[in-house]
Amino acid sequence: MQTTSQIAPVNIGIAEKDRKEIAEGLSRLLADTYTLYLKTHNFHWNVTGPLFNSLHLMFEQQYNELALAVDVLAERIRTLGYPAPGSYSEYAELASIEETRGVPEAEEMVRLLVEANEAVVRTARSVFPAAERAHDESTADLLTERMSIHEKTAWMLRSNLK
């Protein structure tokens, strides 16, 4: 991961090595979030069945929130002085979430989204130690917010399963 601080040094009270470690963790979180965004949007377009309307609307709310989240994550990486990953190939390398090909049944979509939201929580949680060691409260706040959102989303989705 290359720093962008050659343009202008980043002096925000966090050591270079710590900023790098945090940016790498946030890059994994960005990749997971973008992969979840794509999966959720795909399911929004393709869901069918008796729960179509409620799931279609729920998925839309979720992918809209995720679209905003990827921007916030990428901007935090940039604030730390590093380029944010922004290609499918980078996301495929960094993400812990598998893409879903084809069109699963509605209940399987929900199950896959529960798993993916929980994976995002685990990725966010894995970045915490580096942020805490560096006293990077801004990143810690961002991670806390993302975990809370994904934990609640997983619960709401899980409530649709039998």
Side-chain angles (χ1 to χ4, degrees), residues 39 43 100 104 107-117:
K39 183 185 297 265
F43 292 170
T100 301
E107 188 167 335
E108 180 65 4
M109 288 178 178
V110 172
R111 189 188 64 73
L112 289 167
L113 291 177
V114 167
E115 290 174 359
N117 274 278

Side-chain angles (χ1 to χ4, degrees), residues 85-155:
S87 70
Y88 288 124
S89 60
E90 288 174 296
Y91 292 153
E93 289 175 19
L94 293 167
S96 68
I97 299 170
E98 296 288 323
E99 69 178 356
T100 301
R101 292 181 179 241
V103 180
E105 294 294 321
E107 188 167 335
E108 180 65 4
M109 288 178 178
V110 172
R111 189 188 64 73
L112 289 167
L113 291 177
V114 167
E115 290 174 359
N117 274 278
E118 290 175 343
V120 172
V121 173
R122 291 189 301 273
T123 300
R125 196 175 305 283
S126 76
V127 183
F128 249 105
E132 287 178 334
R133 274 193 313 276
H135 304 286
D136 182 358
E137 291 83 4
S138 296
T139 296
D141 286 349
L142 175 59
L143 294 170
T144 300
E145 178 184 12
R146 296 310 316 152
M147 289 188 317
S148 178
I149 288 167
H150 290 286
E151 287 170 353
K152 183 176 181 180
T153 300
W155 160 64

